[in-house]
């Protein structure tokens, strides 16, 4: 079926996942995200964060259990309607060999230049104005090559322009310096307010945007709660975040 009007409630129901038979990377994951809520996912490298968020837009399908959006199993929905309701921005974004404008319009073909400018402002993409042909500058393999941080911000702008009900962000700002990252967060606040968001987070600073945190450990949800609660009650959570801070300092 096509996904009707999306409210954005998400549920993971006893979800298990293996890339290879007999080697599960997610076990019995139960998670509920309310419409409009921003849930951060924190965990050590390899704990299954990217895998978990990939199940929602069906980059992979669950091996056990189910993932639901507004009560519908995502496998019962047409891919096109599922993916038009969900926008994604991943750490290593895919940009096409085309102009900046064409890349941005992929998410929202009818967006006006004004809407593009607005999304570029939110995501701190001022650098686009300095490109030789602005929005018409070709990027990607046959065009101008952009830095990792610029690519990430454009991918985020593309997700914002799509005005999704559900946003999946996998460490989308890892290549940014902390100051630019903080500016993106401040500006994203309004955007995220009524969008259901799953965001994989490495830096403690990014947790500022989250209403709630799920701590993933060895493919299981080890704890959920506010950042402050988890800091106080889950030593492994503290350890993961302090390790990230040390790596940033290097
Ligand atoms: N395409 C794949 N094929 C086989 N195994 C995979 C694949 N992608 C990930 N894995 C394995 O699944 C486990 C979870 O990986 P995942 O990428 O979800 O972790 P992560 O928490 O996102 O890590 P990171 O913080 O490094 O991004 C890891 O053991 C990883 O090696
Ligand atoms: Mg990952």
């Amino acid at each position: 079926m096509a996904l009707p009007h999306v409210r954005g409630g998400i549920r993971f129901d006893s979800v298990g996942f293996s890339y290879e038979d007999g080697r599960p990377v997610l076990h019995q994951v139960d998670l509920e995200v309310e419409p409009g809520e921003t849930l951060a996912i924190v965990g050590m490298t390899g704990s299954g964060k990217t895998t978990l968020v990939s199940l929602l837009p069906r980059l992979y399908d669950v091996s056990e259990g189910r993932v639901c959006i507004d009560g519908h199993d995502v496998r019962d929905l047409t891919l096109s309607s599922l993916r038009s309701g969900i926008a994604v921005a991943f750490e290593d974004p895919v940009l096409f060999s085309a102009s900046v404008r064409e890349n941005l319009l992929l998410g929202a073909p009818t967006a006006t230049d004004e809407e593009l400018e607005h999304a570029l402002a939110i995501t701190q993409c001022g650098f686009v104005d300095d490109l030789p042909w602005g929005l018409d500058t070709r990027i990607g393999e046959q065009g101008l090559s952009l830095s990792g941080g610029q690519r990430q911000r454009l991918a985020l702008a593309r997700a914002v322009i799509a005005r999704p009900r559900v946003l999946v962000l996998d460490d989308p700002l890892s290549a940014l310096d902390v100051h630019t990252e903080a500016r993106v967060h401040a500006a994203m606040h309004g955007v995220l307010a009524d969008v259901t968001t799953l965001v994989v987070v490495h830096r403690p600073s990014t947790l500022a945007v989250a209403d709630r945190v799920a701590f993933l450990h060895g493919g299981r949800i080890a704890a959920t709660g506010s950042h402050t609660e988890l800091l106080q009650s889950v030593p492994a959570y503290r350890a993961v975040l302090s390790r990230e801070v040390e790596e940033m300092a290097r």
Side-chain angles (χ1 to χ4, degrees):
M1 63 180 272
L3 187 60
H5 173 73
V6 185
R7 286 184 62 239
I10 293 168
R11 213 172 75 218
F12 286 73
D13 239 351
S14 305
V15 167
F17 180 81
S18 335
Y19 289 99
E20 296 158 40
D21 281 349
R23 304 181 69 178
V25 299
L26 293 177
H27 313 264
Q28 294 280 315
V29 170
D30 288 312
L31 260 187
E32 186 144 11
V33 192
E34 301 291 330
E37 191 179 22
T38 296
L39 179 78
I41 299 165
V42 173
M44 266 166 44
T45 178
S47 58
K49 304 179 296 295
T50 299
T51 307
L52 180 71
V53 298
S54 302
L55 299 175
L56 189 59
R58 290 190 65 196
L59 304 182
Y60 297 101
D61 272 334
V62 297
S63 312
E64 284 167 37
R66 57 189 200 141
V67 178
C68 295
I69 176 163
D70 295 342
H72 306 287
D73 189 319
V74 291
R75 290 168 298 184
D76 293 337
L77 302 169
T78 59
L79 262 192
S80 61
S81 79
L82 177 68
R83 292 192 185 155
S84 65
I86 302 176
V88 304
F90 281 177
E91 179 174 15
D92 193 11
V94 180
L95 294 176
F96 297 93
S97 202
S99 69
V100 172
R101 180 187 279 102
E102 286 165 321
N103 268 284
L104 293 174
L105 288 177
L106 279 175
T110 58
T112 63
D113 272 11
E114 224 166 32
E115 289 168 319
L116 297 189
E117 296 293 349
H118 180 62
L120 289 171
I122 288 174
T123 54
Q124 309 295 309
C125 283
F127 67 89
V128 171
D129 291 334
D130 300 327
L131 297 176
W133 295 279
L135 280 171
D136 294 313
T137 308
R138 287 185 68 83
I139 55 173
E141 266 168 36
Q142 286 155 42
L144 206 76
S145 61
L146 299 175
S147 75
Q150 290 174 331
R151 285 155 33 84
Q152 288 186 341
R153 276 174 282 166
L154 274 188
L156 193 58
R158 179 169 65 195
V160 166
I161 287 162
R163 292 175 168 272
R165 299 297 308 150
V166 178
L167 195 53
V168 173
L169 306 174
D170 187 358
D171 211 17
L173 300 176
S174 59
L176 271 57
D177 65 83
V178 263
H179 301 294
T180 313
E181 190 201 14
R183 285 203 298 274
V184 177
H185 286 152
M188 285 288 284
H189 224 85
V191 176
L192 296 182
D194 53 357
V195 176
T196 311
T197 307
L198 281 180
V199 56
V200 174
V201 167
H202 286 101
R203 294 175 179 173
S205 54
T206 316
L207 291 163
V209 300
D211 298 314
R212 206 156 51 97
V213 183
F215 178 49
L216 198 59
H217 191 71
R220 294 173 200 278
I221 303 288
T224 55
S226 74
H227 172 58
T228 320
E229 283 164 7
L230 297 193
L231 271 184
Q232 283 168 358
S233 60
V234 185
Y237 178 76
R238 273 200 304 273
V240 168
L241 287 182
S242 55
R243 187 171 320 165
E244 301 286 353
V245 172
E246 278 165 29
E247 280 177 17
M248 270 170 63
R250 266 194 255 130

